Amino acid sequence: MIRFHAALAFAGTLLLATQGFAQTAGKTVIATPNAPEAIGPYSQAIKIGNMVFLAGQVAIDPKTKQFMKDAGIEDQTRQTLENLKAVLEADGLTMEHIVSTSVFMKDLNDFGKMNGVYGSYFKTAPPARATVEVARLPLDAKVEIVAIAVRP
C-alpha cells in the first residue's frame, strides 16, 4: 500500500512538473526602475497567464538604491509595499489585484505597527496572508513581503 501511495505521489508530481514546463513557455519577466533592481538570479516579478508572482521586497529606496536601515518598522513596511506597488504598475496592475501575500518579520512584537501600515494599502477585500517571524532577512531588514496578483 505504501508503494502504491508513493507511486501515485510521484505520478502527481510528474504531472504537475510537466504542466509547469508547458507553462514556462509563456513566462514573462516584469521589471521596472521604479522598484529596487534584482540583486541576484531572480526577477522582480514573473507573469504567467493571468498570474503575477512578485519577488520579496524589502525597504530599499529605488531612487537612491539605499536600504533604509535606520527606519522603523512602519517606514520599512511602507517602502516595501511601495516597491511591490511599483512592480505591479509596470504590468498595469494595482494593489487591488494582489490575492495573497507572505510577510516575513524579524520581530513579531512589531506586528501591530506593520499591520497598521499594511492595512492602509488593502482597505477592501484584503488578500489572504501569512505572517511569520524569521531569524534574519536580507540586509537585516525588519520586514520582507512577497505577493501574488491575478489579472481579472
Side-chain angles (χ1 to χ4, degrees), residues 114-133:
M114 179 282 299
N115 199 48
V117 174
Y118 180 97
S120 71
Y121 282 79
F122 302 106
K123 295 191 188 296
T124 58
R129 177 179 75 186
T131 304
V132 296
E133 182 175 280

Side-chain angles (χ1 to χ4, degrees), residues 28-30 44-55 84 87-93 97-100 146-151:
T28 304
V29 172
I30 299 169
Q44 289 174 331
I46 293 291
K47 176 171 57 174
I48 189 155
N50 67 336
M51 299 183 75
V52 177
F53 299 86
L54 292 97
L84 289 170
V87 176
L88 287 167
E89 288 172 350
D91 193 45
L93 299 175
H97 291 100
I98 294 178
V99 296
S100 179
V146 176
I148 299 171
V150 176
R151 183 182 310 286

Side-chain angles (χ1 to χ4, degrees), residues 21-49:
F21 178 75
Q23 290 180 348
T24 59
K27 181 170 88 168
T28 304
V29 172
I30 299 169
T32 178
N34 298 325
E37 62 186 40
I39 50 173
Y42 66 92
S43 301
Q44 289 174 331
I46 293 291
K47 176 171 57 174
I48 189 155

Side-chain angles (χ1 to χ4, degrees), residues 47-67:
K47 176 171 57 174
I48 189 155
N50 67 336
M51 299 183 75
V52 177
F53 299 86
L54 292 97
Q57 291 285 340
V58 295
I60 296 174
D61 182 329
K63 293 177 184 112
T64 65
K65 299 183 182 197
Q66 297 298 307
F67 173 64

Side-chain angles (χ1 to χ4, degrees), residues 65-84:
K65 299 183 182 197
Q66 297 298 307
F67 173 64
M68 300 169 57
K69 67 179 179 174
D70 296 324
I73 186 67
E74 296 98 332
D75 289 335
Q76 282 201 16
T77 301
R78 190 171 295 103
Q79 184 62 59
T80 297
L81 290 164
E82 286 296 323
N83 292 342
L84 289 170

